[in-house]
Amino acid sequence: MTASPPHFSPRVLAVANQKGGVGKTTTAINLGTALAAVGEQVLIIDLDPQGNASTGLGIPRTAQMRSTYHVLIGEARLHHVIVESGIPRLDCAPSSMDLLGAEIELSDFDRKTFRLADAISVLSRETGLRYDYILLDCPPSLNLLTINAFCAADAVFVPLQCEFFALEGLSQLLKTVERVRVNLNPRLVIQGVVLTMYDRRNSLSEQVAEDVRSVLGDKVYETVIPRNVRVSEAPSHGKPVLLYDNNCIGSQAYIRLASEMIRRERNLRVA
Ligand code: ADP
Ligand code: MG
């Protein structure tokens, strides 16, 4: 019998959708927390100038702090900006408003689409930090920051809000992923799609879910994240909803999402 080799390369997932307000950050924080709760080492990298992943984890943002911006422009190593979230096994590389200018600043850099990929490979190679999952919280745009995430990622995880135009924006996202796969990062695939803010009382939610499943098949997670006020209250307390109210339906859904992800990841490794 051969022991399976120690797997130290992290699984890097870009949590992306160019639409704002669809649940990317909420999913990065709460999926990350749920994965950490079952023993996975997790790093959330905040790539949105808004920094909601950082503040939602209770990490204060100060003008002097070093952030993912400094990593991208080469002024800091990734491990120098990583902070502990206070939640066991969950760390965060926070963002800062400077990221707003990164797109223009990076345009003159070598390997401008691979700045994050290079930083992550240095982290894995040269430090003792071992993460099972690295979740990249992307900004609401298909800009150079998101392209950096796609070049650094093994796969894209897409939160999709159950609303009328959900599928329309998705085709643009899928096209971009395909373009990056062909030109920049051949291993990039869609890991999965999770329906967010599902409202059981609204027949539109159900209709959208059906449409999305008929187009994307088993890429769509069985787990659906319901609209739940506790989920939206948690960030103002600087906590994942799993810590704010562990029993609410939103927390329960994110726990199920993490188990489904682990199950799917295991199946991918076996296949
Ligand atoms: P994005 O990162 O895609 O812009 P967010 O995760 O910040 O989206 O979510 C947008 C808003 O919707 C936030 O105010 C968040 O608290 C709220 N929200 C996200 N998911 C849920 C949910 N399942 N139920 C209720 N509110 C939610
Ligand atoms: Mg966000």
Side-chain angles (χ1 to χ4, degrees), residues 29 33 44 52-59 85 87 90-92 238-240:
I29 290 177
T33 304
I44 295 177
N52 295 337
S54 317
T55 51
L57 284 167
I59 297 162
S85 67
I87 296 157
L90 179 64
D91 293 343
C92 176
K239 284 182 181 168

Side-chain angles (χ1 to χ4, degrees), residues 17 19-27 48 52 137-138 140 196-198 225-229 231-233 235 254:
N17 185 330
K19 282 186 89 167
V22 298
K24 289 182 289 299
T25 301
T26 305
T27 296
D48 188 341
N52 295 337
D137 186 28
C138 293
T196 62
M197 294 184 239
Y198 187 89
I225 309 297
R227 187 176 282 285
N228 176 213
V229 68
V231 173
S232 57
E233 286 167 2
Y254 275 110

Side-chain angles (χ1 to χ4, degrees), residues 62-154:
T62 60
Q64 311 82 352
M65 77 188 286
R66 296 202 160 285
S67 72
T68 50
Y69 163 77
H70 300 94
V71 174
L72 291 173
I73 64 160
E75 278 185 10
R77 295 292 183 94
L78 185 52
H79 63 278
H80 290 141
V81 311
I82 291 174
V83 291
E84 291 178 359
S85 67
I87 296 157
R89 291 178 294 279
L90 179 64
D91 293 343
C92 176
S95 85
S96 60
M97 283 301 231
D98 306 305
L99 267 185
L100 278 173
E103 170 113 28
I104 295 167
E105 284 179 61
L106 286 178
S107 59
D108 292 335
F109 277 66
D110 283 346
R111 291 177 62 77
K112 64 180 176 188
T113 61
F114 291 100
R115 307 293 299 179
L116 183 65
D118 292 347
I120 290 175
S121 77
V122 169
L123 179 80
S124 305
R125 241 186 8 248
E126 294 178 12
T127 76
L129 294 168
R130 304 288 185 219
Y131 294 106
D132 299 300
Y133 286 93
I134 298 183
L135 305 178
L136 312 174
D137 186 28
C138 293
S141 144
L142 294 169
N143 62 10
L144 188 52
L145 295 171
T146 299
I147 301 300
N148 259 274
F150 287 176
C151 287
D154 299 302

